[in-house]
Amino acid sequence: MRYLSDTIQFPPIETADEDGLLAIGGDLSSERLLLAYRSGIFPWFEEGQPLLWWSPDPRMVLYPADFKVSKSLRKTLRRSGFKVTFNSNFKEVIDACSAIERNGQQGTWITQQMKEAYLKLHQLGHAVSFETWRDGSLVGGGYGIDLPNCKVFCGESMFSTVSDASKVGFYHLVRRLQGQHYKVVDCQVYTSHLASLGAVEISRSEFKTYLSV
């Protein structure tokens, strides 16, 4: 494991420990964050911790064509009255992702420092949000980092205040990525929810190949 200096660089991702922890320190500048995502690395730390950079093996990914649309989701898509937009309210989405309570999680890793860094990436055109609305109110959404040159979308977080709202938004995101011939959605680490949507684990070395331009 390596401690980062002010120089914008990372050690090889193959040097991460068995949990995927690669490096500590550095900053959340746009330049460093973009280098991280383009290298198969992402930041993940809680308030009060130093910056922690990860590159786990295996890696959870979703191939857009393999997204599973359940019968219940199909029904929701037909009858829910949801409206989905993109990049119409990034700040409110990341604020909601930070504030939402999640089972088994105390506090949030989306700190104020993180929010400011990703908002800047959004302003630069690198961070993308989707928003799910009902009756004019934001009821779900998510955000991530777009790597259009290699056709990879790096999902970061989602939230929902109404059942299936984030899932509907994610469905429309995946459809959009399919239409743009994206190769993979990076989901980072395994969860049963992601697996239910069709995501699978692949090796870190295989994931790295998708980042080559």
Side-chain angles (χ1 to χ4, degrees):
M1 189 191 314
R2 179 171 164 182
Y3 287 85
L4 301 180
S5 66
D6 292 337
T7 304
I8 308 297
Q9 63 182 21
F10 289 96
I13 59 176
E14 294 79 11
T15 62
D17 69 16
E18 62 181 10
D19 295 320
L21 181 59
L22 177 69
I24 297 176
D27 55 43
L28 292 176
S29 66
S30 296
E31 184 180 2
R32 191 185 296 272
L33 282 168
L34 288 173
L35 175 61
Y37 283 99
R38 290 165 179 162
S39 304
I41 303 163
F42 58 89
W44 188 19
F45 60 96
E46 296 181 1
E47 193 74 58
Q49 290 183 327
L51 272 65
L52 304 177
W53 300 89
W54 303 81
S55 186
D57 188 14
R59 190 82 168 216
M60 193 73 166
V61 302
L62 173 69
Y63 298 105
D66 293 341
F67 181 72
K68 293 181 180 178
V69 184
S70 64
K71 289 182 179 179
S72 62
L73 179 56
R74 290 186 189 278
K75 183 177 179 181
T76 299
L77 288 166
R78 290 195 304 268
R79 305 180 182 179
S80 65
F82 289 130
K83 175 184 176 182
V84 176
T85 58
F86 294 93
N87 292 322
S88 67
N89 204 328
F90 186 92
K91 185 178 186 303
E92 191 170 348
V93 166
I94 196 170
D95 284 345
C97 287
S98 173
I100 200 78
E101 292 186 6
R102 305 177 193 275
N103 292 333
Q105 179 178 312
Q106 296 180 346
T108 179
W109 58 270
I110 309 174
T111 64
Q112 184 61 34
Q113 183 184 16
M114 290 280 276
K115 288 193 285 187
E116 291 172 358
Y118 283 78
L119 182 58
K120 184 172 182 180
L121 281 178
H122 172 67
Q123 293 165 346
L124 293 171
H126 302 294
V128 171
S129 66
F130 63 86
E131 302 86 21
T132 308
W133 308 84
R134 178 183 275 173
D135 299 327
S137 297
L138 183 65
V139 294
Y143 71 97
I145 303 301
D146 190 20
L147 302 178
N149 289 340
C150 52
K151 297 296 184 181
V152 172
F153 183 85
C154 304
E156 276 298 312
S157 185
M158 297 191 294
F159 84 97
S160 182
T161 60
V162 172
S163 180
D164 284 341
S166 61
K167 193 179 293 186
V168 167
F170 187 60
Y171 164 84
H172 284 280
L173 171 68
V174 172
R175 287 291 301 272
R176 187 187 202 198
L177 296 174
Q178 283 181 305
Q180 297 173 354
H181 306 292
Y182 271 60
K183 296 181 290 188
V184 70
V185 179
D186 175 25
C187 302
Q188 299 179 349
V189 295
Y190 177 90
T191 71
S192 58
H193 173 66
L194 290 169
S196 73
L197 297 178
V200 296
E201 289 183 313
I202 63 173
S203 69
R204 180 170 53 209
S205 59
E206 183 179 354
F207 176 68
K208 185 178 179 180
T209 66
Y210 291 114
L211 298 172
S212 59
V213 179

